[in-house]
Amino acid sequence: MKRMTKRVSVIVGSLRRGSFARKIAHNLIPMFPEGYEAKIVEIRDLPLYDFDYDDPEVTDKPVPAEYTEFRETIKASDGVLFVTPENNRTIPACLKNAVDIGSKPNADVAWKGLPAGIVSHSVGRMGGYSSQKNLRLALSYFDMPTLGQPEVFLSQSPELFGDGDKITRESTVEFLQKYIDRFAELIEKTQPRLVFAGA
C-alpha cells in the first residue's frame, strides 16, 4: 500500500509582489511534512465574479478559462491554506473574489468539504483578526473543516523578517511549524488518499 502525495493549495490574499502575506506563505510551504506538495495558486488574473457566467439561461457569456482552471485546481487539492492581510477590517477584495468564484456553480462547489488553514497578519497589533474572522464566516458555508485552535494572528508583520524574506523570530517559526503540523493532521483525518500498489 502506498500513500499518494497530498496537495495543498496556498491562497495568498494580496496581489502585491513583495507583500508580507506572500513572504509568510513562502515560509510556510517548506514546513509541510514529507508527502505533501504545497503550492501558491495565483488569484491575480481571476476576472471579477459575475453570476451570468454560471447562469445556464445566459448563453452569450461563457465561463472564463481562468474560472475553470482555478476551480479544477482547488477541487484536486487535499486542503487549502489561506494567508491573508487585513484590508479595512475585512478580507482583501481579491480574496473574496476567489472565494466567490470557487463557490459556484451551486452543484459543484470547489471548496466543499476541503480542510482549510488560515494565517492572517497585519502591520499593526491585531494580526489581521477581523480578516480572519470574516474569512472563517465565508468558509463556514462550504462545510470546510478548520482548526479551532491555535488561531494564527501575526502582528507587526514587517518586524518578522528582519532584512530578508525569512521569518527570524524563533518562537514564531516554532509556533507556525506546530500549526502546519496540526493542519496536516487535519488533512490526514478528513482527506485520506490511499492507493494500493501492485504486488
Side-chain angles (χ1 to χ4, degrees):
M1 188 169 60
K2 183 171 61 177
R3 184 174 296 277
M4 294 175 62
T5 299
K6 294 276 194 304
R7 298 175 182 171
V8 176
S9 290
V10 181
I11 309 293
V12 177
S14 176
L15 302 185
R16 186 169 68 89
R17 191 183 316 173
S19 72
F20 294 114
R22 186 171 291 267
K23 287 182 179 181
I24 293 167
H26 280 297
N27 278 261
L28 294 171
I29 286 172
M31 293 182 179
F32 280 90
E34 184 179 355
Y36 278 76
E37 180 183 48
K39 287 185 177 180
I40 292 176
V41 177
E42 298 293 349
I43 61 175
R44 67 172 54 253
D45 295 323
L46 292 173
L48 287 176
Y49 183 69
D50 182 345
F51 183 68
D52 280 349
Y53 293 131
D54 292 306
D55 188 342
E57 296 183 8
V58 178
T59 58
D60 61 340
K61 293 179 70 172
V63 176
E66 295 90 344
Y67 280 23
T68 301
E69 181 180 359
F70 179 74
R71 289 165 173 170
E72 292 304 314
T73 298
I74 298 303
K75 285 190 287 186
S77 304
D78 295 288
V80 183
L81 176 64
F82 296 90
V83 184
T84 184
E86 181 174 296
N87 283 1
N88 302 316
R89 295 291 187 264
T90 188
I91 59 176
C94 61
L95 180 54
K96 181 57 165 62
N97 187 53
V99 170
D100 290 346
I101 290 168
S103 74
K104 295 291 185 291
N106 291 329
D108 192 21
V109 176
W111 307 113
K112 189 169 180 61
L114 283 176
I118 304 174
V119 173
S120 64
H121 83 91
S122 69
V123 298
R125 294 183 180 276
M126 295 295 287
Y129 175 87
S130 294
S131 65
Q132 180 159 162
K133 292 305 181 183
N134 277 278
L135 181 56
R136 282 181 179 270
L137 179 62
L139 300 182
S140 67
Y141 186 68
F142 312 124
D143 196 25
M144 300 179 77
T146 57
L147 294 174
Q149 295 294 331
E151 295 177 298
V152 183
F153 308 105
L154 299 178
S155 61
Q156 298 176 307
S157 45
E159 298 179 11
L160 294 173
F161 300 96
D163 296 328
D165 294 334
K166 293 287 187 182
I167 296 176
T168 56
R169 191 182 304 149
E170 187 174 339
S171 59
T172 301
V173 173
E174 291 176 356
F175 175 64
L176 291 174
Q177 182 64 69
K178 288 179 181 177
Y179 182 79
I180 294 299
D181 290 344
R182 288 208 60 206
F183 181 44
E185 290 174 3
L186 177 65
I187 293 173
E188 293 289 339
K189 290 177 182 177
T190 56
Q191 297 288 98
R193 293 181 63 177
L194 298 177
V195 60
F196 289 90

